[in-house]
Amino acid sequence: MKKIEHIGIAVRNLKDSNKVYESLLGSPPYKMEEVKSEGVRTSFFKIGESKVELLEASNPESTISKFIDKRGEGVHHIAFLVDDIESELLRLKNEGFVVLNETPKKGADNKWVAFLHPKTTSGVLIELCQEIK
Ligand code: ZN
């Protein structure tokens, strides 16, 4: 793993939270993107080398709306950048982590993504991401 690529925050209203994070960080999102397959609308903020991803549900079946129903708004996942997502997944599976999607899928921000179940990571949803080249 190379670094924390971004922190994902589940929000009820992307427009409202964009304003909040723009005030907080001093610059507007550099990208807004809908990932239809995941039922999310996202926006990305840059802070030096790191990013914050805001996630809003685009339908009631979205994992984001379920998360917010259960826990309210807040930190949803931590994403680590990797060079080779397939071999990292294999390594982590062998270490006993529960992988939510064994085949990496296309996520936001031009990345292959895969997730580890929070029950094996002390309660935090972990995303692995790799730049799509
Ligand atoms: Zn993410």
Side-chain angles (χ1 to χ4, degrees):
M1 304 231 187
K2 302 181 77 178
K3 64 172 186 178
I4 292 178
E5 213 277 340
H6 64 268
I7 293 176
I9 299 172
V11 304
R12 281 183 212 282
N13 183 299
L14 196 58
K15 262 190 197 151
D16 292 348
S17 295
N18 275 344
K19 278 184 211 143
V20 171
Y21 277 79
E22 181 169 345
S23 312
L24 177 71
L25 302 170
S27 58
Y30 69 91
K31 179 186 275 193
M32 292 185 68
E33 191 179 342
E34 182 165 3
V35 185
K36 284 224 169 89
S37 55
E38 298 296 308
V40 293
R41 281 185 283 267
T42 65
S43 60
F44 284 87
F45 294 81
K46 249 187 198 128
I47 324 97
E49 283 218 333
S50 308
K51 296 169 188 166
V52 168
E53 174 185 30
L54 302 183
L55 304 119
E56 172 195 62
S58 59
N59 71 62
E61 294 311 305
S62 166
T63 54
I64 295 301
S65 51
K66 287 175 189 156
F67 178 90
I68 286 178
D69 285 349
K70 250 197 235 164
R71 304 213 230 170
E73 292 185 302
V75 173
H76 176 258
H77 64 269
I78 297 178
F80 294 98
L81 186 68
V82 299
D83 277 331
D84 182 346
I85 197 165
E86 310 256 358
S87 69
E88 277 297 324
L89 282 175
L90 200 62
R91 180 181 74 81
L92 293 166
K93 245 172 45 179
N94 288 333
E95 296 281 349
F97 293 97
V98 173
V99 176
L100 287 173
N101 56 302
E102 307 229 344
T103 311
K105 49 191 179 182
K106 265 191 181 173
D109 203 30
N110 194 42
K111 302 272 196 304
W112 293 115
V113 300
F115 290 91
L116 305 181
H117 197 288
K119 74 180 175 192
T120 52
T121 54
S122 304
V124 180
L125 179 65
I126 300 292
E127 174 184 333
L128 305 183
C129 61
Q130 178 189 343
E131 206 81 41
I132 297 175
K133 283 169 194 155

